[in-house]
C-alpha cells in the first residue's frame, strides 16, 4: 500500500531547501522530513546521497518522447506506463504458470532484502566493517535454503525412488539448515572487531528483521500458490485495487484527513477504496472460480514427473446450496423464491480477504512510510521508473500474504489421505499394522465400514 | 556460557578511570570498554546509571557473615554460594517434575525478555515515547500465546469432549494468534509520533529480535521437555559443566589466548572443558537412562486427566547390540571377544550434544559478551548476587536448546500411530474409508497383512 500520489517530479536532493519549496505543492514527504526535529535522533542522518531513491530516470526512448512535458506530467506518464508494464508482466506470469510466479517471487524477495540491507549499510556507514555484506547474503541464502526446502520436502514428498543423496537432504533438511545458520552465527562472532561492536550488532539485528519480513513472508506466498493460483492472484490484485481506488476516491472526494503519518490519505479514499475492493474481489473471484487452472492445487505428479494443475475443482469453488437459519427463511423466500441460497463458498472467503486488505492492509503502507521517514529516505530504491524501489510496491503484499496463509490453514486446509499415507508409510511395519487395526475397528464401530468377514 | 571469572569486587561505575585502574587486575571487561574507540559509535553511550549490572548486594545475613573478607573474596563466596543455590534449585525442580520445569522456563523467559528490553529502553532514552513498554509486553504475551498454545494443541490433542469454546480456541489457534499480532502491529503504527520515528522503529526491531531469541527458544526448551526430561537435564547440565570446567582448566593450565573478544579465555580451558563435558555427558546420560522418570515422554493421559511419565522405555535408552561393518570385526573381537558391540544409543546422541555444547556453545557466550561490550554494560541485570542478570546465566542455553530440538526432530522423533490417527479422524468419513482401503492394499501387497477373506 504505497501511496500512489506522493511522487513529484523531484530528484533525490531532499536537503536542498530551495528546491523543496518549489516542489512542495505535491510532495508532502519532503516537507515532513524537513520539519522533523532532528535533535531527537541525536544526529542528522542524510541517506539521500547513499540510497538511490525514486528518480524519473527512464529508458532513453521514453525520455526523448516525453521531452516536451513539464517534470510533473513527465513523472505522471512514466509512472502510469510502468504501472501498466507491471500489471501486464503480472498477467503474463500468471499465463506462463505457477513456477514462473514462484521464481519471480524469489527474485523480488532477493531485491527487497537487498534494498533493506542497503539502507542499514548507509545508516551505519560501515566503511571497512569486516564481512558485513557477505554475512547478510549468507544468512539470506541459508534461510532460503531452509524455507524453500521445507516447501519442496512437503510437496514433492516421498522421494524414495530418487538417489540416496536426495533422500538424506530431505530427511536431514532441518539439521542441515540449522548447521548453515550456526555457521553464519560463528562467522559473525569471529568477525567482531572492537571498534565496531555496536554497529555490528545493530546490523546483525537489521539483517534478522529483514529476513523475518522478506524471507519468511515470501515463503508464505509460495505456499499460498501451491494451494491454487487463485489464492495468489486474488489477494495480490486486491491490494493493487485498494491502492489505486483509494487514490481515485481520495482525489475526487477527499476531505477528511485519515492519519498524521500520511497527511494526504483521507477517510473518503479509505472507505471508497475499501468498498471498491470488496466489489472487485467478488467479481474477480467469481471469474477465476470458473477455471480449473486457477483453483486446482499444484501437485507433483509422480507418474508424469512434473507439477500439474489438473483436478476436479473442490466444492469450495462450485455453487453450493446453503439452508439458512429458519428466522431468515421468510426473507430469503421473498427475494429468491426458495428456502435456500446458492453461493460459491470461495466468495465468502474473498469477502474476508477484501475486508482485511482494505482495513488492515493500509497499515502496512503506513508502517513502510513511517520507516522511510525514520531514516529520511524517499523510496527504498530506484529500480522501477516513477515508482521507487521494489519494496515500495510490495510493502503491503507481505502482510496480506501472511493473512492469507493463516486464513488457509485455519479455515480451508484439511489433511488429505495422500499426505497422511505418506507419513504412515514412514512408520515401522508393526506400527503400520497397529494403526490399520485401530482404524478398522474405529470405522466399523462408527458404521462407516462393513466387513465381509466377521 | 558466561565467563565465570570476569567478576571482580567492583560496582557499576564503568566510567570512573581511577577506580578502573585500581580494579584492573582482575577485571578485563572494564579495561576493554575504556580503551574502545567511542568515536566510531558516534556518541558516548553510558548505560551504567540506567541498567542495574551485577553488584555484590546479597542478603543481609550473608553480608554480615562475610564482613571481614576483602571485596574480591567476598564476591567469590557470594558467587560460589549462589552457584550452589542455583544447582540445588535446579535439582529440586527436576524432583518436583516437568510441569515445574516448564513454569520456571516461562518465568526465566519473561525475566530475560525484560532484561533485554530494559537495555533497549536505556539505549534509546525514550522519555515520553508513547506506549513502548506496553507494546513490548503485549508482543511478549501474544507470542507466548501462540507458541505455548501450539505446544498445548499438539500434546493435549483431541479435546472433542471439552467445551465448544475450547474447541474453537484449538481449531482457530493460529488465526487468533495472528489477530493478536496484527492488533499489536496496528497499535504500533498508531503510536508513531513524528519526533520519535527512528527510536520507535529501532525499538520495534529490538523487541522482535528479543522475541526471536527468548520466546521462540524457550518454546523449543518446553518441547524438548515433552520428549522426556533427559533431553532437558543433559544439555542444560552440559553447558554448566563446560562453563565450570573450562574455567578450572584455564585457571590451572591456561597459557594460549583463544579469542580477542574474551581475552581471559584460553585454548587450554576450551579443550579441557570440552573433554570434561564429553566424559560428564556420557556419565550423566548413562545414569539417567536407568530411570523411566527421566526417559519417558510426557503424555497427556485422557483417562487420568493428567500428564504422565509412565512408559516402557524406548530402545533408545536400553543397551542394544550392534554389528559393525566386517572390516572392524577383528578389532572388536580382539577387545570384547564378540562380533558385536552393546551400547545404549542415547550415549551416542549424548556425544553429539556434548561436542556441540563444547565447540559451538562458547560462541553463544562470546556473542553475549560482545553484545554487552557493544552497549557498554557489565551484566544484563543484577538479580542473582555475584552473577549478574538471568540472561548472563542463560545466554548459551538458548543456542543449545535449538540444537537439541533440531537434533530430536531430525534423528529421534518419528510419528506415532496415535498422533496420525488423531489426524485421520478429522478427515471426512469417505476420505477415512479411502485411506483405509489404500492402506489395506498396500499392507497386503507388502505381505505385512494377511487377510482372512480374499
Amino acid at each position: 500500500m504505497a501511496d500512489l500520489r506522493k511522487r513529484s517530479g523531484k530528484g533525490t536532493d531532499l536537503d536542498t531547501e530551495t528546491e523543496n519549496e518549489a516542489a512542495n505543492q505535491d510532495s508532502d514527504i519532503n516537507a515532513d522530513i524537513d520539519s522533523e526535529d532532528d535533535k531527537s535522533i541525536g544526529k542528522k542522518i542524510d541517506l539521500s546521497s547513499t540510497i538511490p531513491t525514486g528518480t524519473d530516470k527512464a529508458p532513453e526512448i521514453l525520455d526523448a518522447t516525453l521531452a516536451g512535458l513539464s517534470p510533473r506530467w513527465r513523472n505522471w506518464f512514466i509512472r502510469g506506463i510502468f504501472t501498466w508494464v507491471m500489471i501486464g508482466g503480472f498477467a503474463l506470469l500468471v499465463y506462463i504458470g505457477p513456477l514462473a510466479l514462484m521464481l519471480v517471487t524469489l527474485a523480488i524477495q532477493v531485491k527487497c532484502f537487498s534494498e533493506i540491507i542497503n539502507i542499514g549499510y548507509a545508516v551505519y556507514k560501515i566503511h571497512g566493517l569486516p564481512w558485513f555484506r557477505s554475512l547478510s547474503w549468507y544468512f539470506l541464502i541459508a534461510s532460503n535454503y531452509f524455507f524453500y526446502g521445507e516447501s519442496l520436502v512437503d510437496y514433492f514428498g516421498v522421494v524414495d525412488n530418487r538417489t540416496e543423496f536426495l533422500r538424506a537432504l530431505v530427511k536431514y533438511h532441518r539439521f542441515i539448515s540449522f548447521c548453515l545458520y550456526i555457521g553464519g552465527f560463528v562467522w559473525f562472532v569471529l568477525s567482531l572487531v572492537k571498534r565496531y561492536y555496536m554497529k555490528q550488532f545493530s546490523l546483525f539485528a537489521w539483517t534478522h528483521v529483514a529476513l523475518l519480513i522478506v524471507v519468511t513472508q515470501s515463503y508464505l506466498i509460495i505456499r499460498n500458490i501451491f494451494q491454487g493460483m487463485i489464492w495468489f492472484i486474488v489477494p495480490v490484485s486486491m491490494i493493487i485495487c485498494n491502492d489505486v481506488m483509494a487514490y481515485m476516491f481520495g482525489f475526487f472526494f477527499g476531505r477528511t484527513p485519515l492519519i498524521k503519518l500520511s497527511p494526504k490519505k483521507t477517510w473518503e479514499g479509505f472507505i471508497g477504496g475499501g468498498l471498491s475492493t470488496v466489489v472487485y474481489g467478488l467479481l474477480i473471484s467469481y471469474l477465476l472460480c470458473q477455471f480449473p487452472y486457477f483453483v486446482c492445487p499444484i501437485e507433483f505428479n509422480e507418474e508424469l514427473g512434473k507439477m500439474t494443475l489438473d483436478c476436479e475443482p473442490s466444492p469450495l469453488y462450485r455453487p453450493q446450496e446453503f439452508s439458512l437459519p429458519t428466522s431468515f427463511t421468510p426473507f430469503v423466500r421473498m427475494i429468491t423464491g426458495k428456502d435456500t441460497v446458492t453461493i460459491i463458498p470461495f466468495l465468502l472467503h474473498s469477502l474476508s480477504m477484501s475486508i482485511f486488505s482494505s482495513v488492515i492492509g493500509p497499515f502496512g503502507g503506513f508502517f513502510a512510510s513511517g520507516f522511510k521517514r525514520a531514516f529520511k529516505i524517499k523510496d527504498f530504491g530506484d529500480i522501477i521508473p516513477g515508482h521507487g524501489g521494489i519494496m515500495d510496491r510490495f510493502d503491503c503484499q507481505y502482510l496480506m500474504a501472511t493473512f492469507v496463509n493463516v486464513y488457509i490453514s485455519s479455515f480451508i486446509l484439511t489433511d488429505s489421505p495422500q499426505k497422511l499415507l505418506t507419513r504412515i508409510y514412514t512408520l515401522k511395519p508393526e506400527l503400520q499394522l497397529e494403526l490399520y487395526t485401530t482404524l478398522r475397528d474405529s470405522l466399523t464401530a462408527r458404521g462407516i465400514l462393513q466387513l465381509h468377514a466377521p
Side-chain angles (χ1 to χ4, degrees), chain A:
Chain A
M1 176 69 50
D3 21 21
L4 278 173
R5 61 219 156 95
K6 281 220 185 111
R7 316 288 171 236
S8 65
K10 285 200 68 265
T12 58
D13 25 32
L14 290 180
D15 280 332
T16 323
E17 284 287 330
T18 47
E19 281 198 40
N20 266 358
E21 290 301 316
N24 236 352
Q25 264 178 311
D26 60 340
S27 171
D28 64 299
I29 191 166
N30 294 337
D32 277 10
I33 285 177
D34 289 326
S35 67
E36 198 169 336
D37 185 356
D38 288 312
K39 273 167 238 140
S40 70
I41 295 165
K43 53 174 178 169
K44 177 100 177 162
I45 290 177
D46 175 19
L47 302 178
S48 53
S49 53
T50 33
I51 298 289
T53 60
T55 58
D56 300 333
K57 81 168 170 74
E60 268 182 44
I61 183 149
L62 208 63
D63 245 12
T65 322
L66 297 172
L69 291 170
S70 78
R72 196 185 154 190
W73 279 100
R74 196 168 146 274
N75 178 268
W76 191 90
F77 268 107
I78 293 173
R79 197 177 165 76
I81 290 166
F82 279 90
T83 300
W84 284 106
V85 166
M86 283 190 283
I87 291 177
F90 180 65
L92 183 68
L93 284 175
V94 168
Y95 177 77
I96 298 176
L99 194 64
L101 278 182
M102 289 179 201
L103 289 176
V104 170
T105 305
L106 180 62
I108 286 174
Q109 178 225 98
V110 170
K111 184 65 191 153
C112 285
F113 182 79
S114 123
E115 286 177 2
I116 296 178
I117 285 298
N118 276 335
I119 294 172
Y121 196 83
V123 167
Y124 292 97
K125 298 193 190 66
I126 42 168
H127 313 299
L129 193 56
W131 294 117
F132 167 63
R133 267 177 189 269
S134 316
L135 254 173
S136 295
W137 287 97
Y138 177 84
F139 278 120
L140 180 71
I141 292 166
S143 51
N144 269 309
Y145 177 81
F146 172 65
F147 283 115
Y148 276 70
E150 287 277 302
S151 277
L152 293 178
V153 168
D154 262 29
Y155 281 90
F156 300 105
V158 213
V159 283
D160 280 334
N161 47 356
R162 313 289 159 76
T163 63
E164 269 304 303
F165 177 68
L166 256 179
R167 271 185 68 182
L169 275 188
V170 168
K171 189 158 181 219
Y172 302 120
H173 178 67
R174 287 193 188 179
F175 192 74
I176 296 167
S177 306
F178 179 74
C179 290
L180 283 177
Y181 181 83
I182 284 292
F185 181 83
V186 167
W187 182 6
F188 169 74
V189 170
L190 290 177
S191 80
L192 283 172
V193 172
K194 228 179 206 178
R195 314 166 51 99
Y196 294 112
Y197 284 160
M198 179 134 170
K199 290 184 176 191
Q200 287 178 306
F201 275 95
S202 302
L203 285 167
F204 188 76
W206 194 287
T207 304
H208 279 74
V209 173
L211 292 176
L212 209 61
I213 295 174
V214 173
V215 182
T216 57
Q217 306 208 40
S218 77
Y219 159 72
L220 298 181
I221 293 180
I222 305 272
R223 297 205 76 124
N224 296 346
I225 296 176
F226 272 112
Q227 289 304 314
M229 282 211 282
I230 197 168
W231 291 104
F232 174 82
I233 299 169
V234 167
V236 164
S237 62
M238 271 175 183
I239 293 280
I240 298 172
C241 168
N242 189 259
D243 217 4
V244 174
M245 293 312 288
Y247 168 64
M248 302 293 274
F249 273 87
F251 189 85
F252 289 111
F253 311 106
R255 298 280 180 282
T256 334
L258 177 62
I259 187 171
K260 272 190 184 169
L261 208 63
S262 291
K264 282 208 164 180
K265 294 255 166 74
T266 60
W267 273 103
E268 288 81 359
F270 183 75
I271 293 166
L275 293 177
S276 316
T277 308
V278 169
V279 173
Y280 164 81
L282 293 175
L283 292 177
I284 184 87
S285 301
Y286 181 78
L287 185 71
L288 296 187
C289 277
Q290 314 302 316
F291 304 96
Y293 182 67
F294 294 116
V295 301
C296 284
I298 297 155
E299 266 162 9
F300 186 76
N301 190 316
E302 203 80 35
E303 283 162 38
L304 299 176
K306 62 173 189 172
M307 295 198 287
T308 56
L309 273 172
D310 272 336
C311 72
E312 181 59 40
S314 136
L316 192 63
Y317 311 106
R318 294 266 145 260
Q320 305 291 313
E321 235 172 57
F322 290 97
S323 49
L324 291 169
T326 39
S327 52
F328 283 109
T329 325
F331 301 99
V332 176
R333 193 181 293 135
M334 210 159 68
I335 301 166
T336 63
K338 288 190 295 182
D339 274 358
T340 55
V341 285
T342 303
I343 202 168
I344 300 178
F346 185 80
L347 292 190
L348 297 176
H349 299 304
S350 158
L351 204 61
S352 315
M353 287 192 283
S354 57
I355 289 168
F356 182 87
S357 72
S358 45
V359 175
I360 305 295
F363 282 90
F366 301 152
F367 182 86
S369 147
F371 178 84
K372 285 186 269 186
R373 277 152 201 246
F375 293 101
K376 316 224 161 183
I377 50 173
K378 193 164 146 272
D379 297 308
F380 283 99
D382 71 341
I383 198 168
I384 321 169
H387 289 260
I390 290 277
M391 198 59 202
D392 294 282
R393 285 297 103 220
F394 287 87
D395 42 13
C396 278
Q397 299 289 4
Y398 286 118
L399 200 62
M400 187 74 191
T402 312
F403 174 77
V404 173
N405 191 277
V406 174
Y407 193 89
I408 292 176
S409 75
S410 297
F411 300 106
I412 309 294
L413 209 61
T414 45
D415 282 320
S416 76
Q418 281 72 28
K419 280 198 185 157
L420 286 175
L421 275 168
T422 309
R423 292 179 61 174
I424 291 171
Y425 293 153
T426 63
L427 293 175
K428 284 190 191 143
E430 61 268 27
L431 293 179
Q432 293 186 29
L433 202 58
E434 180 193 325
L435 188 147
Y436 167 79
T437 46
T438 317
L439 179 61
R440 187 190 57 199
D441 297 345
S442 159
L443 289 173
T444 316
R446 285 177 290 154
I448 299 168
L449 179 72
Q450 270 93 37
L451 287 178
H452 304 286

